[in-house]
Amino acid sequence: MADPDATIGLSRLAKKLTREDEVFTYMARNLEPVRGFHQFMRAVPKILEARPNARALIIGGNEASYGKKSDIQGGYRAQMEQEVGKDLDWSRVHFLGRVPYADYRTIIQLSRCHIYLTVPFVLSWSLLESMSMQAPIVASGTAPEREVIKDGKTGLLADFLNPDEIAEKAIQLLSDYKLCEKLGKAARAHVVKSYDFEKVCLPQHLRQINALVPKAKAIALPKSK
């Protein structure tokens, strides 16, 4: 669920960030192209220019989980800093590295726009979890995301290959608080209805397993608490 009282302090800021602040977020295990980090960074200058009070909070390590490592020392973060650095207001860009789970959850609960990007690949658990916390989502319109994000209903979709469009969708969310609230609530409702572990996913999983074994060896569903 969203936490209206969520706050988090950052070392560069005198005051803690709250849901009143214009925060947009990006999160991946590692900052790499498979998860669209390069396209996110290319979108950030346009977002910050259009929204002078916005701040980018970026969560993720500096290695490579799925693809080729960067040839530049410092990884893809350093590579993208070289590419877009001159166009950024760095006082409003916060690289947080890998953070404790409780801090990650608070940051997502603060977010007015969570940007999730991926090439056609396995969907990150973090997208469903962010939706469950009522984060308004801008996602790339690749196949994994289209399964859970319905454009204009449970989030906004943008072309993975078009950083300007990603930025435009983020600006749309950041400038429309009512739209943020609407999409965030719809995102949570969709995840609870379709992906609740105990009520939806686990029963389906066990039914599929039991369909492959004799009835005498079927696995029973756990009793509800």
Side-chain angles (χ1 to χ4, degrees):
M1 289 287 290
D3 179 1
D5 299 319
T7 64
I8 196 161
L10 300 179
S11 59
R12 279 195 275 143
L13 302 180
K15 295 182 179 179
K16 289 185 175 182
L17 293 174
T18 73
R19 286 177 61 85
E20 297 300 315
D21 294 292
E22 196 170 314
V23 171
F24 67 101
T25 52
Y26 172 92
M27 182 271 185
R29 182 185 305 171
N30 282 301
L31 308 178
E32 58 184 334
V34 170
R35 294 307 191 194
F37 172 66
H38 58 314
Q39 301 295 58
F40 168 79
M41 287 300 295
R42 290 166 181 161
V44 170
K46 185 172 183 178
I47 299 171
L48 294 181
E49 181 180 9
R51 305 298 302 173
N53 294 318
R55 291 186 179 277
L57 271 57
I58 303 166
I59 299 172
N62 208 30
E63 302 170 4
S65 297
Y66 306 111
K68 178 180 177 292
K69 291 185 178 181
S70 172
D71 295 326
I72 295 178
Q73 185 176 2
Y76 289 105
R77 171 180 168 178
Q79 184 172 324
M80 295 313 301
E81 286 176 345
Q82 290 180 19
E83 180 178 326
V84 303
K86 60 181 174 51
D87 301 317
L88 276 180
D89 176 359
W90 286 104
S91 68
R92 295 190 284 140
V93 178
H94 304 268
F95 284 97
L96 307 180
R98 293 177 178 170
V99 301
Y101 181 77
D103 290 342
Y104 149 74
R105 187 172 61 188
T106 298
I107 290 164
I108 298 301
Q109 289 171 330
L110 288 175
S111 182
R112 289 198 193 180
C113 171
H114 181 60
I115 300 177
Y116 176 82
L117 311 171
T118 186
V119 300
F121 188 55
V122 175
L123 192 72
S124 298
W125 57 265
S126 66
L127 176 60
L128 293 179
E129 191 166 56
S130 298
M131 293 172 70
S132 78
M133 291 187 280
Q134 293 187 199
I137 305 292
V138 170
S140 51
T142 47
E145 287 134 316
R146 292 199 303 270
E147 180 181 336
V148 295
I149 300 291
K150 307 304 178 187
D151 192 34
K153 296 181 179 180
T154 57
L156 300 179
L157 293 176
D159 185 349
F160 180 88
L161 299 176
N162 190 336
D164 284 341
E165 186 177 337
I166 294 169
E168 288 166 5
K169 293 299 179 74
I171 293 166
Q172 181 182 353
L173 270 183
L174 293 172
S175 62
D176 190 339
Y177 189 77
K178 288 185 178 179
L179 180 61
C180 287
E181 290 283 295
K182 173 186 172 183
L183 294 182
K185 290 178 180 178
R188 176 173 170 78
H190 177 64
V191 168
V192 170
K193 178 181 178 181
S194 304
Y195 298 97
D196 182 277
F197 177 72
E198 292 186 357
K199 295 180 180 179
V200 181
C201 293
L202 181 59
Q204 287 185 8
H205 186 63
L206 292 180
R207 279 195 293 270
Q208 292 180 26
I209 292 174
N210 288 335
L212 301 175
V213 300
K215 290 184 178 180
K217 296 182 180 181
I219 302 171
L221 284 170
K223 293 182 180 180
S224 299
K225 295 180 181 179

